[in-house]
Structure formats: structure tokens, C-alpha cells
């Protein structure tokens, strides 16, 4: 099984360590593409003029108070790197709580989790990366839109990596658009069910959605689940007491699952 995850905007910057080694990252054939995006991002953010820095903020979708993110990006070529599981620190990763998992569960997850990134394309949890700010929705000077850039490059590689195994897709938005998994996969949407005036209402709540996905991944890792198909995956999730409902989807597309979580 492969588990597809988004990155997090929040990241913990490593205090020390060697810079990223592109050739040591998962799928080393991506090294030259990663170097290209990294060099263009760092060069853009290194512009010292007020106009240049404001343009970098606009390109990255940042506010005027986030100049520190631009400064950090400017130093990425030499910035300390650490395992991606330690760098990503947003809501999903806090709920996943990877460092607190038993060693066998960490090993299980490290062999299955794939994190999508506007900067790196994809990384594994054990891949050493620096903290950065660059979403997949960015259009980077000298590269273009990062979503179509990576989609073209990643598709043949991930098609091969996903062959003959189920895929659990927990991405959304631009990260989901970076690669379309094969039919033998499941795309999951989390619905928050709340009773209002005696009527159950369901909605997608961003924070709740991310935290639930992190808990789902943690649960699967603790069980070291080994589904051979999407049907097996659905059964595994239900065994873990999750309410799973399937929505209609074309036969040549990933299956669409709703994970329904009620108010506690």
C-alpha cells in the first residue's frame, strides 16, 4: 500500500545538520528537477530590494508579515536538513504523532507514506529536507506552475511505484492534481457530522479533516495493516471503528470514500 499525504505549511526548521542531498532522496531520478526548482526558488527569494522581496511574497502567496519565510527560502541551498517526518509539523502531522509511534509502526509507515511537495515533488518520511515555504499552487519564475511541472514528471514514476498495490489518497487541492492514482486506489474525504436541531448535517471542516486524516494514518500504522485491495482497506478502516461510505465514481478513476466522523 502507498499512503499519499499533503505536506504542511507549518514546518520545524532543523537546528543543525548537513544540507539536503538530492541524490539520497526517494526516486533519485528526480534529483535534477528538484535542484532546478530549489535553485529558482532560492534565487527569487534572495533578491534584496524591497520590490524583489514583495514580489517573492506575492508569488508564494504570503502576507507582508511573513518576510522571514522568504529569508529562509533564500538560504535553502545550505540550510540544515532533517527527516521529513520531523520537518512537517502541521495539524495532520501533529495528530499522526510519528515520533511517538513504536519502532515497528514507524518502519511500516516510512515504507508506505509519500508526501507531495511543491519543492521536492515527493519525499518519504526518512528523506532529509530543510524547512521551506513553497506550495504546489505556486507559479515559479523560470519553472512555471509547479502542479503541472511535477505532474508530467511524476506520473510515469508513480504509476510504476503504485503498480499492483492499493493506494490511499489523503491529499486535496493542488497536491491531488500532481498525480492521479490508478483505479486500484481510494481517495478519502472526511465529513464532520453534527446534529443541528435534531437533523444530522455533514460538512468538510479543514482543521477537523486534517486531524482526522492524521489519526487514520496513525491507526493503520499501529495495526501495520496489509490490505491487498481497496476492499481490504475499507474493511481495515471499519475494523478500526471508522464509518466509511463509498460515492459513485467512474470505473477508470480512483474510488471515492467518505470517512464520516461525528461530534464526540
Amino acid at each position: 500500500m502507498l499512503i499519499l499525504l499533503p505536506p504542511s505549511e507549518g514546518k520545524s526548521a532543523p537546528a543543525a545538520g548537513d544540507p539536503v542531498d538530492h541524490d539520497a532522496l526517494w526516486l533519485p531520478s528526480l534529483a535534477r528537477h528538484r535542484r532546478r526548482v530549489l535553485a529558482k526558488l532560492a534565487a527569487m527569494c534572495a533578491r534584496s530590494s524591497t520590490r524583489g522581496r514583495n514580489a517573492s511574497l506575492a508569488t508564494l502567496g504570503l502576507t507582508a508579515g511573513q518576510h522571514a519565510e522568504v529569508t529562509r527560502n533564500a538560504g535553502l541551498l545550505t540550510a540544515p536538513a532533517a527527516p521529513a517526518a520531523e520537518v512537517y509539523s502541521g495539524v495532520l502531522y501533529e495528530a499522526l504523532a510519528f515520533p511517538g509511534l513504536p519502532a515497528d509502526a514507524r518502519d511500516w509507515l516510512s515504507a508506505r507514506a509519500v508526501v507531495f511537495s511543491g519543492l521536492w515533488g515527493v519525499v518519504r518520511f526518512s528523506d532529509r529536507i530543510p524547512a521551506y515555504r513553497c506550495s504546489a499552487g505556486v507559479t515559479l519564475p523560470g519553472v512555471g506552475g509547479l502542479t503541472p511541472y511535477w505532474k508530467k514528471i511524476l506520473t510515469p514514476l508513480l504509476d510504476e511505484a503504485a503498480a499492483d498495490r492499493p493506494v490511499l489518497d489523503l491529499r486535496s487541492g493542488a497536491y491531488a492534481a500532481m498525480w492521479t492514482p490508478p483505479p486500484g486506489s481510494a481517495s478519502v474525504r472526511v465529513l464532520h457530522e453534527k446534529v443541528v436541531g435534531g437533523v444530522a448535517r455533514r460538512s468538510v471542516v479543514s482543521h477537523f479533516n486534517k486531524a482526522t486524516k492524521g489519526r487514520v494514518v496513525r491507526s493503520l500504522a499501529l495495526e501495520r495493516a496489509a490490505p491487498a485491495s481497496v476492499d481490504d482497506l475499507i474493511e481495515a478502516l471499519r475494523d478500526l471503528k471508522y464509518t466509511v461510505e463509498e460515492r459513485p465514481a467512474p470505473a477508470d478513476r480512483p474510488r471515492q470514500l467518505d470517512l464520516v466522523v461525528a461530534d464526540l
Side-chain angles (χ1 to χ4, degrees):
M1 178 168 65
L2 289 181
I3 301 174
L4 312 184
L5 298 173
S8 62
E9 288 190 358
K11 299 177 184 71
S12 298
D18 294 330
V20 61
D21 178 355
H22 294 274
D23 295 324
L25 301 180
W26 187 53
L27 300 178
S29 61
L30 295 175
R32 66 184 181 91
H33 304 290
R34 289 168 171 146
R35 288 190 178 97
R36 180 186 178 195
V37 176
L38 178 59
K40 296 295 186 182
L41 176 64
M44 179 187 74
C45 291
R47 293 179 295 185
S48 59
S49 69
T50 300
R51 181 177 179 180
R53 293 182 71 78
N54 286 342
S56 295
L57 287 170
T59 296
L60 296 172
L62 303 177
T63 67
Q66 294 178 295
H67 279 283
E69 299 279 7
V70 175
T71 300
R72 183 162 67 182
N73 278 354
L76 282 175
L77 296 177
T78 58
E86 299 175 14
V87 172
Y88 293 120
S89 57
V91 173
L92 187 155
Y93 293 90
E94 289 176 356
L96 171 56
F98 180 83
L101 286 170
D104 55 357
R106 292 198 304 270
D107 291 343
W108 180 95
L109 188 53
S110 294
R112 290 163 178 80
V114 177
V115 183
F116 282 69
S117 163
L119 177 52
W120 314 110
V122 287
V123 292
R124 293 289 209 180
F125 272 21
S126 58
D127 286 341
R128 296 178 62 261
I129 59 172
Y132 64 95
R133 189 63 175 263
C134 183
S135 73
V138 164
T139 297
L140 192 63
V143 177
L146 293 178
T147 296
Y149 176 82
W150 285 118
K151 183 178 179 66
K152 180 178 179 180
I153 296 164
L154 291 175
T155 294
L157 296 174
L158 295 182
D159 284 351
E160 181 178 355
D164 302 319
R165 59 171 131 176
V167 176
L168 174 61
D169 189 356
L170 299 176
R171 305 167 299 159
S172 60
Y175 296 103
M178 288 172 65
W179 175 58
T180 301
S185 61
S187 177
V188 173
R189 178 179 68 172
V190 176
L191 295 179
H192 180 204
E193 184 172 83
K194 188 174 184 178
V195 177
V196 180
V199 178
R201 302 184 185 276
R202 295 176 177 179
S203 61
V204 177
V205 181
S206 178
H207 186 283
F208 192 89
N209 169 65
K210 294 174 183 176
T212 300
K213 287 179 177 179
R215 288 192 288 269
V216 165
V217 175
R218 182 178 179 86
S219 297
L220 291 170
L222 287 170
E223 290 295 319
R224 298 186 301 285
S229 66
V230 172
D231 287 334
D232 289 348
L233 174 59
I234 292 172
E235 183 177 352
L237 290 171
R238 288 174 175 162
D239 287 345
L240 291 168
K241 308 306 179 185
Y242 289 102
T243 299
V244 183
E245 299 176 359
E246 186 165 2
R247 289 178 283 124
D252 62 345
R253 305 290 288 180
R255 291 167 66 176
Q256 302 294 304
L257 305 182
D258 283 342
L259 200 65
V260 184
V261 183
D263 268 345
L264 298 178

